[in-house]
């Protein structure tokens, strides 16, 4: 069975959920091979990857990979594409994952598909474009298909793989080392799941009213084990940090559940959340366009409704 | 400093956007063409860098004849001149083809710095800046929320999920910007009038030494097999809060097994 390369996303040595989703998807296409790039690989990581179906694990642990922007990962994958001749390469459709896919496509003279929400065994990808308005099926017609898959599009299911480990030495080109990371600055990380891969997202908008009031959004998110998002109006006002902005110029999220509190649902915002499976909206204005998308909408003051909802969620836990 | 800003004309997101059933490409006549929002931030950043360090700002766009509107907008903001890559052979190009065509053009016109928006509102692939860096062998400084230049060294703050990375490289370099980076200026009346006199160079694929076999629908590395307009979301339940809105919402979430 042909290999399917899966680029592992990891933070502080921990495998991210999206990688387990990609391994699950890869099993439907061939034999999954996980590719670990950068330091942090451990027995625990190996066990996790094998648990979700990795038959092979390529490990390139060089610090150089983490210290330079994107290009080293593309060089590593290009080498493996040439040595393993995989049927496809899957990466997470995160900002960085897509950049790796883009560079890899050029290195291997291969087509790339971004933001896939499904992938058939004939390697036809489903994509949702124009803010969820049009569903497209597309395919790569030259080279090795490289597909960036959106987090939350496959439910991760464990199924043991052989987990055979293979160390890979990479000698990076000077070009790959051209952009150097000189400092990493963590901001407001907290214990919450990451926005783009969270199963539940609770977002606040203009109706939240102030930075302090975002605490009620955070409390609901924490009760649900959710990530916090914000509309552009809220980030522009400085109420919440920019990296949490959901929308056309911010992050695209596709969670199982999206709760929009005090968000009118301007096209800018809708473009970033419209593919959520279930949408709950809370807004004072019954004419707010967000209600056109909502599976469940409550017309009223979020400052009353959100704390009450939080309390109910805590009670039922 | 020779700064080139790549800009793209996209269908207005406020209007209905369509694909053309004939060849599954973007239907450019269905909606009004506007400058891609993040491209305005890229133009603004280029103008700021020019104001601080001197040099010249060139706008580069690939697109049909009507993309001249987008060029005029960037020139009215203050860019000095423009290059318009326009050729029927480019119709239907995918990201690889587009990056190839732009890279060939950039080689022709030269640059110290290339600035782009981090993605376009139509295709939203977010790959073009990385692809240009790969094709041109230049450092990739993407997703920048801040750009600083000191002599021939450039440092950016790259937006990440945990905050940001400070990333450094030497010029020439490829930069992409996020919306947080600045506040794009509005063209002044004077700027709009001046834009009409600024030079716009039109290049075809032969002028930019672009191989026709690697662009357009036939040259693309990927293709759209088919598409369908997504069914509208079914109307949901809307209730008015009577003091128990939160409790009702909890019941709904419980019925869907979220809690």
């Amino acid at each position: 069975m042909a290999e399917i390369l899966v680029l592992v996303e990891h933070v502080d040595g921990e495998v991210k959920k999206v990688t387990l989703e990609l391994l699950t998807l890869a099993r439907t296409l061939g034999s999954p091979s996980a590719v670990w790039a950068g330091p942090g690989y451990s027995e625990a990581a190996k066990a996790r990857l094998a648990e979700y179906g990795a038959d092979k694990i390529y490990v390139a642990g060089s610090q150089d990979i983490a210290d330079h922007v994107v290009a080293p990962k593309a060089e590593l994958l290009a080498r493996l594409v040439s040595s393993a001749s995989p049927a496809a390469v899957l990466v997470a459709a995160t900002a960085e994952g897509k950049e790796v896919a883009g560079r890899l496509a050029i290195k291997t003279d291969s087509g790339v598909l971004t933001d896939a929400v499904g992938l058939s065994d004939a390697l036809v990808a489903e994509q949702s474009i124009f803010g969820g308005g049009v569903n497209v099926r597309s395919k790569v017609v030259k080279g090795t298909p490289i597909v960036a898959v959106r987090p939350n599009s496959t439910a991760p299911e464990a199924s043991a793989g052989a987990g055979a480990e293979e160390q890979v030495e990479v000698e990076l080109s000077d070009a790959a080392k051209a952009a150097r990371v000189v400092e990493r600055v963590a901001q407001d990380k907290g214990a919450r799941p990451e926005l783009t891969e969270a199963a539940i997202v609770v977002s606040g908008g203009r109706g939240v009213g102030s930075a302090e009031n975002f605490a009620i959004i955070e409390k609901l998110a924490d009760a649900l084990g959710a990530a916090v998002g914000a509309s552009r109006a809220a980030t522009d006002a400085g109420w919440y940090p920019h990296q949490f902005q959901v929308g056309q110029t911010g992050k695209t999220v596709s969670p199982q559940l999206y709760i929009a509190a005090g968000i009118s649902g301007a096209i800018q915002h809708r473009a970033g959340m419209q593919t959520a499976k279930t949408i709950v909206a809370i807004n004072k204005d019954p004419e707010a366009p967000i209600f056109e998308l909502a599976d469940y909408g409550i017309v009223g003051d979020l400052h009353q409704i959100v704390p009450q909802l939080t309390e109910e969620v805590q009670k039922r836990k | 400093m020779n700064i080139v800003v790549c800009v793209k004309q996209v269908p207005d997101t406020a209007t209905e956007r369509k694909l053309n059933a004939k060849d599954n490409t973007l239907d450019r006549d269905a909606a009004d063409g506007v400058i891609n929002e993040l491209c305005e931030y890229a133009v603004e950043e280029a103008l700021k860098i020019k104001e601080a360090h001197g040099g010249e700002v060139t706008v580069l766009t690939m697109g049909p004849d009507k993309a001249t509107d987008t060029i005029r907008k960037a020139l009215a903001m203050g860019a000095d001149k423009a290059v318009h890559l326009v050729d029927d052979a480019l119709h239907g190009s995918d990201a690889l083809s587009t990056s190839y065509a732009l890279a060939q053009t950039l080689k022709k016109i030269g640059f110290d710095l290339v600035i782009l928006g981090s993605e376009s509102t139509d295709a939203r692939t977010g790959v073009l800046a990385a692809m240009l860096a790969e094709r041109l062998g230049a450092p990739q400084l993407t997703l920048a929320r801040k750009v600083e230049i000191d002599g021939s060294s450039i440092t950016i703050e790259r937006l990440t999920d945990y905050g940001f990375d400070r990333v450094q490289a030497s010029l020439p370099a490829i930069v992409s910007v996020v919306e947080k980076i600045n506040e794009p200026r509005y063209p002044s009346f004077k700027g709009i009038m001046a834009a009409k006199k600024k030079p716009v160079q039109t290049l075809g694929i032969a002028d930019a030494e672009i191989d026709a076999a690697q662009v357009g629908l036939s040259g693309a590395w990927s293709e759209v097999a088919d598409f369908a307009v997504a069914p509208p979301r079914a109307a949901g339940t809307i209730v008015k809060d009577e003091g128990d809105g939160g409790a009702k919402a909890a019941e709904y979430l419980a019925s869907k097994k979220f809690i």
Side-chain angles (χ1 to χ4, degrees):
Chain A
M1 216 170 17
E3 278 186 64
I4 308 292
L5 297 184
V6 172
L7 178 64
V8 177
E9 293 240 342
H10 54 93
V11 173
D12 300 328
E14 200 164 317
V15 178
K16 287 168 67 174
K17 192 182 94 191
V18 65
T19 298
L20 309 180
E21 296 170 8
L22 296 189
L23 287 171
T24 305
L25 179 62
R27 292 205 308 264
T28 67
L29 311 170
S31 166
S33 294
V35 181
W36 185 285
Y41 183 71
S42 65
E43 281 302 312
K46 178 183 178 171
R48 193 89 170 132
L49 295 169
E51 182 189 352
Y52 280 84
D55 285 325
K56 210 180 258 182
I57 305 170
Y58 295 104
V59 182
S62 158
Q63 180 65 36
D64 257 358
I65 294 174
D67 287 349
H68 298 93
V69 176
V70 175
K73 290 180 181 170
E75 281 196 358
L76 165 66
L77 285 172
R79 236 188 75 173
L80 293 170
V81 165
S82 133
S83 62
S85 307
V89 181
L90 307 186
V91 302
T94 54
E96 173 155 329
K98 293 201 283 188
E99 291 186 337
V100 173
R103 296 191 75 126
L104 176 64
I106 289 165
K107 281 185 183 300
T108 59
D109 195 25
S110 299
V112 59
L113 303 171
T114 53
D115 282 313
V117 294
L119 189 61
S120 75
D121 53 11
L123 297 173
V124 174
E126 290 164 46
Q127 295 160 304
S128 168
I129 64 164
F130 298 158
V134 177
N135 296 326
V136 163
R137 294 193 321 136
S138 46
K139 60 180 190 240
V140 164
V141 292
K142 291 186 204 170
T144 307
I146 300 164
V147 186
V149 183
R150 227 183 240 178
N152 282 318
S153 38
T154 308
E157 278 171 37
S159 172
E165 202 174 290
E166 193 174 310
Q167 294 291 327
V168 185
E169 293 298 325
V170 249
E171 212 160 297
L172 297 175
S173 69
D174 288 344
K177 293 197 270 191
R180 198 162 49 89
V181 177
V182 290
E183 189 186 3
R184 280 179 209 284
V185 183
Q187 291 180 317
D188 304 287
K189 188 165 173 267
R192 296 192 187 97
E194 198 197 297
L195 185 56
T196 50
E197 64 169 28
I200 304 179
V201 175
V202 183
S203 281
R206 195 186 299 276
V208 174
S210 69
E212 295 71 41
N213 284 346
F214 253 84
I216 65 171
I217 302 294
E218 290 183 328
K219 276 183 194 150
L220 176 57
D222 291 342
L224 291 164
V228 175
S231 72
R232 181 161 171 180
T235 59
D236 275 357
W239 300 342
Y240 220 68
H242 176 68
Q243 70 260 36
F244 298 100
Q245 185 189 311
V246 172
Q248 192 166 278
T249 53
K251 299 262 166 70
T252 301
V253 298
S254 260
Q256 297 297 318
L257 170 64
Y258 188 85
I259 301 181
I263 292 174
S264 67
I267 187 81
Q268 209 281 339
H269 189 73
R270 293 161 65 144
M273 46 67 74
Q274 205 152 346
T275 53
K277 308 283 182 302
T278 301
I279 296 171
V280 171
I282 301 164
N283 203 297
K284 273 197 303 206
D285 175 10
E287 305 296 326
I290 192 80
F291 287 124
E292 292 164 21
L293 300 181
D295 298 286
Y296 193 82
I298 310 135
V299 180
D301 184 358
L302 75 94
H303 300 94
Q304 309 296 322
I305 297 163
V306 173
Q308 190 180 75
L309 173 57
T310 305
E311 205 182 302
E312 287 291 328
V313 172
Q314 281 162 345
K315 257 193 247 168
R316 286 166 194 255
K317 273 208 287 197
Chain B
M1 184 157 7
N2 181 4
I3 309 166
V4 180
V5 190
C6 295
V7 301
K8 185 179 188 187
Q9 187 174 59
V10 296
D12 191 344
T13 53
T15 56
E16 195 193 350
R17 293 172 289 174
K18 287 181 180 164
L19 293 180
N20 195 327
K22 205 172 69 213
D23 59 5
N24 298 340
T25 62
L26 180 66
D27 185 346
R28 291 179 189 271
D29 297 325
D32 293 337
V34 295
I35 185 169
N36 177 52
E37 188 185 349
L38 281 163
C39 295
E40 290 187 48
Y41 293 83
V43 172
E44 177 65 34
E45 200 57 24
L47 296 173
K48 279 208 161 90
I49 292 168
K50 178 193 161 178
E51 283 155 12
H53 302 276
E56 195 175 42
V57 175
T58 305
V59 177
L60 167 62
T61 201
M62 168 174 146
D65 288 336
K66 73 177 209 173
T68 45
D69 294 351
T70 286
I71 291 173
R72 290 292 163 203
K73 170 90 195 253
L75 292 175
M77 284 174 75
D80 299 294
K81 59 190 176 69
V83 175
H84 187 179
L85 182 59
V86 50
D87 200 308
D88 288 344
L90 295 166
H91 171 78
S93 292
D94 66 355
L96 276 106
S97 302
T98 302
S99 68
Y100 161 69
L102 288 176
Q104 289 297 99
T105 312
L106 285 164
K107 281 181 201 162
K108 194 116 203 136
I109 63 181
F111 62 90
D112 297 307
L113 191 60
V114 177
I115 309 184
L116 303 89
S118 60
E119 65 179 18
S120 64
T121 56
D122 52 358
R124 297 202 72 179
T125 59
V127 297
L128 206 72
M131 284 181 166
L132 286 180
E134 178 69 38
R135 288 199 186 274
L136 296 164
Q140 178 190 331
L141 302 164
T142 45
L143 305 171
R145 57 169 221 176
K146 190 176 181 187
V147 176
E148 284 171 323
I149 290 171
D150 182 7
S152 66
S153 164
I154 175 166
T155 306
I156 67 150
E157 288 181 8
R158 170 176 166 87
L159 194 69
T160 65
D161 290 325
Y162 49 82
F164 64 88
D165 286 348
R166 211 177 296 282
V167 181
Q168 216 164 56
S170 298
L171 296 176
I174 312 295
V175 169
S176 82
V177 302
V178 298
E179 152 273 332
K180 190 70 180 171
I181 194 162
N182 57 41
E183 198 58 55
R185 67 195 68 182
Y186 287 106
S188 63
F189 179 69
K190 213 176 121 199
I192 293 165
M193 296 313 288
K196 295 183 177 166
K197 297 197 184 94
K198 289 178 178 171
V200 178
Q201 187 187 6
T202 304
L203 299 180
I205 63 164
D207 305 314
E209 294 175 45
I210 292 165
D211 173 8
Q214 296 195 54
V215 293
L217 263 181
S218 57
W221 278 257
S222 60
E223 66 180 32
V224 172
D226 54 43
F227 68 91
V229 174
R233 289 185 87 100
T237 310
I238 310 290
V239 300
K240 197 173 176 310
D241 180 31
E242 307 281 0
D244 60 351
K248 278 190 174 153
E251 271 168 44
Y252 175 77
L253 295 185
S255 76
K256 293 280 178 185
K257 304 204 185 323
F258 287 116
I259 49 175

